Amino acid sequence: MTNFRIILAYNGTAYHGWQRQNNALAVQQVLEEAILSLTGQTVTVNGCSRTDAGVHARRFCASFLIESTITCRGIVFGLNSKLPDDISVLECEKVPLDFHARYMCSGKEYEYIIHNSEIKNPFYKDTAYRSWFPIDEKKLDKAAQDFVGTHDFKAMCSTDCTKENTVRTIFSFHVRREGELVIFTVSGDGFLYNMVRIMVGTLIFINEGKIGETQIPDILASKDRTRGGKTVPPQGLYLNEVYYDKDKGSEQGE
Amino acid sequence: MTNFRIILAYNGTAYHGWQRQNNALAVQQVLEEAILSLTGQTVTVNGCSRTDAGVHARRFCASFLIESTITCRGIVFGLNSKLPDDISVLECEKVPLDFHARYMCSGKEYEYIIHNSEIKNPFYKDTAYRSWFPIDEKKLDKAAQDFVGTHDFKAMCSTDCTKENTVRTIFSFHVRREGELVIFTVSGDGFLYNMVRIMVGTLIFINEGKIGETQIPDILASKDRTRGGKTVPPQGLYLNEVYYDKDKGSEQGE
């Protein structure tokens, strides 16, 4: 039995997120079908995270146990030949049998991209959220520092959230501009349901003067979702990177 | 009667090119339907070029005559509200009644993007052509200079080409690398059917050693399409810019 850890990139436009569902196509299902087609084996792939419908991933981590002599290179090129063009296997390595992509994850980095323009750009249709109101990225970068640290993020969590423990640690949060794109990059030890999209939406409300620029600590303390900004749409969100503790890392290269 | 010149950007993935067709959806049809919906008038839009199915445009020029008091700003924002997200009106201005986007065009610039990697990138699925063979962009930039100038480009034209005069002038041709992307930029006074895609395909054959790096003048002189490289696929091709003689330019801004 071998435990393979793979790094995936996917354009989430066509998928109802990562997790296999009964009534809609998810990335997990497409990947498991590609593994079956390549190896003849039915496996369950463990993903590092559930992503929502329309959300993208640049380096999504997943793992699966399989009885096979296939090499890591065989996994990468074999699966890529089976997978549609909007899902790609970037890397593969063998890991200890007890590695689990979700439970052992120690942190993640997300990015949210806003196309800040009055005029739509057809090449950002599914890969950024367009907002015309001029964004002051320096002001938002400063305001975002109030999210950094260990806080109860209940106010930044969808009301559908069922987690009992809503305390999370944000390692860093930066807002920068690249031409017409405003890019929000946030890393932390874990994220609640819709948490990144609500934090970005709250910063957007600060930009538009609907929330004061020093109000984030009060909103977090209130634990009241209705005090935050709107949940910005999924197509601007990217899972950038997933972190694991070094001692739970790779067994060997190939 | 007012003659409006508009600059469009479109992602060509979902369209069978610019020109209206009986059995497939083209950008021209979608635009004419948006104008009808906005103004109540049925117009014929003249485009600067026929683009092929799957080819993109960053600044496509089109013009149409209309009996309306609508402003240029009204055209831009009104049409953008009617058009799907993969077509955008970037600019609009009033031009003399005799302006015609196709007949008066004095030159165009195209770009072709190759994603030069063994591993596919899901975000370039419809917007670049992937080729794994390592590209020596400096060598190709040098070889491409043999296309520059006035030549008979019959050897670089699809065999479907019906033009009697196959002499064209290439103003400039540059090949550069940006990370995993290799970008071919070519401008000229006019282009034959599939000419950019065949010139790029010929450079790719030079890169792979299938054609000698000094062979372009001989191939052009042969006027024989079979001597050139393959026609590279449409999804890497962008119409970047369209040029008009200054004296045929805008009547007035708004």
Side-chain angles (χ1 to χ4, degrees):
Chain A
M1 208 69 152
T2 307
N3 197 9
F4 285 107
R5 172 160 80 175
I6 58 176
I7 303 293
L8 292 172
Y10 55 83
N11 180 325
T13 307
Y15 302 103
H16 277 255
W18 162 260
Q19 187 159 287
R20 186 185 268 274
Q21 295 181 23
N22 286 329
N23 304 314
L25 190 66
V27 177
Q28 183 185 9
Q29 178 185 342
V30 175
L31 182 63
E32 289 173 355
E33 287 170 0
I35 294 169
L36 174 62
S37 169
L38 181 67
T39 67
Q41 290 191 49
T42 300
V43 301
T44 296
V45 179
N46 296 307
C48 62
S49 173
R50 299 174 187 179
T51 58
D52 273 348
V55 170
H56 314 295
R58 294 217 174 85
R59 290 179 64 84
F60 185 98
C61 182
S63 61
F64 57 95
L65 282 161
I66 196 164
E67 197 72 65
S68 171
T69 58
I70 194 165
T71 63
C72 283
R73 191 174 163 85
I75 294 275
V76 172
F77 287 89
L79 286 182
N80 278 337
S81 75
K82 303 284 183 185
L83 288 166
D85 283 347
D86 50 11
I87 304 177
S88 179
V89 179
L90 305 179
E91 297 170 13
C92 176
E93 63 178 342
K94 293 177 181 176
V95 288
L97 292 180
D98 65 349
F99 174 83
H100 188 290
R102 186 163 182 193
Y103 301 139
M104 291 185 176
C105 170
S106 60
K108 299 193 187 87
E109 181 183 281
Y110 282 93
E111 185 173 295
Y112 195 90
I113 304 182
I114 293 182
H115 176 222
N116 191 209
S117 170
E118 276 196 320
I119 305 283
K120 61 189 172 178
N121 180 323
F123 301 105
Y124 299 147
K125 181 170 79 79
D126 299 316
T127 53
Y129 163 56
R130 185 166 67 85
S131 175
W132 67 270
F133 194 102
I135 293 176
D136 180 344
E137 67 277 6
K138 289 191 180 68
K139 176 166 135 180
L140 298 195
D141 184 69
K142 194 175 168 203
Q145 302 319 307
D146 285 336
F147 286 128
V148 176
T150 302
H151 307 284
D152 188 328
F153 283 95
K154 194 169 169 55
M156 295 289 124
C157 176
S158 164
T159 49
D160 294 341
C161 175
T162 54
K163 298 269 182 188
E164 284 196 18
N165 178 4
T166 50
V167 174
R168 296 291 183 275
T169 298
I170 296 297
F171 305 142
S172 69
F173 202 143
H174 296 294
V175 185
R176 72 182 197 277
R177 176 177 287 275
E178 291 185 7
E180 289 188 339
L181 301 182
V182 178
I183 300 166
F184 301 72
T185 310
V186 55
S187 67
D189 66 350
F191 293 88
L192 301 166
Y193 188 51
N194 282 351
M195 181 171 149
V196 177
R197 289 161 57 189
I198 296 169
M199 288 193 295
V200 172
T202 300
L203 291 169
I204 289 305
F205 268 25
I206 288 175
N207 185 66
E208 295 173 4
K210 295 171 185 167
I211 292 178
E213 55 193 289
T214 59
Q215 291 300 301
I216 288 173
D218 285 353
I219 294 171
L220 292 178
S222 77
K223 302 183 190 176
D224 177 0
R225 168 67 188 95
T226 67
R227 298 271 310 271
K230 67 176 179 182
T231 305
V232 287
Q235 72 270 19
L237 186 60
Y238 295 73
L239 175 59
N240 261 1
E241 190 57 273
V242 191
Y243 305 114
Y244 294 90
D245 289 344
K246 274 179 188 153
D247 59 340
K248 293 168 188 161
S250 63
E251 187 180 66
Q252 56 184 58
E254 203 191 51
Chain B
M1 207 68 151
T2 307
N3 198 8
F4 285 107
R5 172 160 79 175
I6 57 176
I7 304 293
L8 292 173
Y10 55 83
N11 180 324
T13 307
Y15 303 102
H16 277 255
W18 162 260
Q19 186 158 290
R20 188 185 265 274
Q21 296 181 23
N22 286 330
N23 304 313
L25 190 66
V27 177
Q28 183 185 8
Q29 178 184 341
V30 176
L31 182 62
E32 289 173 355
E33 287 170 2
I35 294 169
L36 174 62
S37 170
L38 181 68
T39 67
Q41 290 192 49
T42 301
V43 302
T44 297
V45 179
N46 296 306
C48 61
S49 173
R50 298 174 188 181
T51 59
D52 274 347
V55 170
H56 315 294
R58 292 216 175 85
R59 291 179 65 82
F60 184 99
C61 182
S63 61
F64 58 94
L65 283 160
I66 196 164
E67 197 73 65
S68 171
T69 58
I70 193 165
T71 63
C72 284
R73 191 174 163 85
I75 294 274
V76 172
F77 288 89
L79 288 182
N80 278 338
S81 74
K82 303 285 184 184
L83 288 166
D85 283 345
D86 50 11
I87 304 176
S88 180
V89 179
L90 304 180
E91 297 170 14
C92 175
E93 62 178 342
K94 294 177 181 175
V95 289
L97 291 180
D98 66 349
F99 174 84
H100 188 289
R102 185 163 183 193
Y103 301 138
M104 291 183 176
C105 170
S106 59
K108 298 191 188 86
E109 181 183 280
Y110 282 95
E111 184 173 296
Y112 195 89
I113 305 182
I114 293 182
H115 176 222
N116 192 208
S117 170
E118 276 196 319
I119 305 283
K120 60 188 172 180
N121 180 323
F123 301 105
Y124 299 148
K125 182 170 80 80
D126 299 317
T127 53
Y129 163 56
R130 185 166 66 85
S131 176
W132 67 270
F133 194 101
I135 294 176
D136 180 344
E137 67 279 6
K138 290 192 178 67
K139 177 165 133 180
L140 298 195
D141 185 69
K142 194 175 167 201
Q145 302 319 307
D146 285 336
F147 286 129
V148 176
T150 302
H151 307 283
D152 188 328
F153 282 95
K154 193 168 169 55
M156 296 289 124
C157 176
S158 164
T159 50
D160 294 340
C161 174
T162 54
K163 297 270 182 189
E164 284 196 15
N165 178 4
T166 50
V167 173
R168 296 290 183 276
T169 299
I170 296 298
F171 306 141
S172 69
F173 202 143
H174 295 294
V175 186
R176 71 181 197 279
R177 177 178 287 276
E178 291 184 6
E180 289 187 337
L181 301 181
V182 178
I183 299 165
F184 302 73
T185 310
V186 56
S187 68
D189 66 350
F191 293 87
L192 302 166
Y193 187 51
N194 282 352
M195 181 170 150
V196 177
R197 289 161 58 187
I198 296 169
M199 289 194 293
V200 172
T202 300
L203 291 170
I204 290 304
F205 268 25
I206 289 174
N207 185 65
E208 296 173 4
K210 295 171 183 166
I211 292 178
E213 57 193 289
T214 60
Q215 291 299 301
I216 288 172
D218 285 354
I219 295 171
L220 292 178
S222 76
K223 302 183 190 177
D224 177 0
R225 169 67 188 94
T226 67
R227 298 270 309 274
K230 68 175 177 180
T231 306
V232 287
Q235 73 269 20
L237 186 62
Y238 295 75
L239 175 60
N240 261 1
E241 190 57 272
V242 191
Y243 305 114
Y244 294 89
D245 289 344
K246 275 180 190 157
D247 59 340
K248 293 168 186 161
S250 64
E251 188 179 64
Q252 56 184 60
E254 203 189 50

